[in-house]
Amino acid sequence: MIRATVRYRLPESIDRAACRDHFEKIAPGFREVPGLIGKHFICGDHGIAGGVYQRKTREDAEAFYSGPWRAEIVERYGMKRENEYFRVFCITDNAAGEVRVVEPAEEAEGA
């Protein structure tokens, strides 16, 4: 499992409310994105916005970020986005009351 963080600086023409409204409008469209487990739409008080994505594979992420979505980000925000990828080893899900090990440790040889 991969956690991808995407960030971009909002232009002065897009305030917090406009960002929130846009995210609410586009959020349902992410239900059909291949390989996407979940997404958090984020906006900071310092003018940085973006998303935190949980995906099945890095290949799923790279395929999405190199497609039409890439041009839409540049057109809307006037800049390229920054992507970071992280392997997910464990998840503490307090809402579900569980801890999930996503990538278990390899067993020691001869054990």
Side-chain angles (χ1 to χ4, degrees):
M1 182 180 302
I2 294 293
R3 177 73 60 156
T5 302
V6 176
R7 296 184 313 264
Y8 42 82
R9 178 162 297 283
L10 294 172
E12 291 184 21
S13 61
I14 300 176
D15 64 9
R16 181 184 180 281
C19 180
R20 195 212 68 79
D21 291 349
H22 177 68
F23 283 169
E24 183 177 347
K25 177 182 170 185
I26 67 171
F30 283 83
R31 303 233 23 224
E32 305 301 322
V33 173
L36 181 65
I37 297 167
K39 176 181 178 180
H40 292 171
F41 295 82
I42 59 174
C43 181
D45 292 337
H46 57 309
I48 302 293
V52 180
Y53 301 76
Q54 189 169 336
R55 297 190 174 272
K56 293 179 181 176
T57 67
R58 182 168 177 154
E59 292 77 21
D60 289 330
E62 290 175 348
F64 179 76
Y65 302 137
S66 64
W69 178 85
R70 180 182 192 175
E72 291 170 14
I73 291 294
V74 173
E75 181 180 329
R76 179 165 173 78
Y77 302 109
M79 66 169 288
K80 293 181 180 177
R81 78 279 182 249
E82 295 179 21
N83 292 9
E84 291 182 298
Y85 300 98
F86 301 92
R87 301 277 316 191
V88 177
F89 299 130
C90 302
I91 299 171
T92 299
D93 185 339
N94 291 335
E98 65 183 16
V99 172
R100 294 188 307 274
V101 176
V102 179
E103 186 174 307
E106 294 181 21
E107 293 187 35
E109 285 187 39

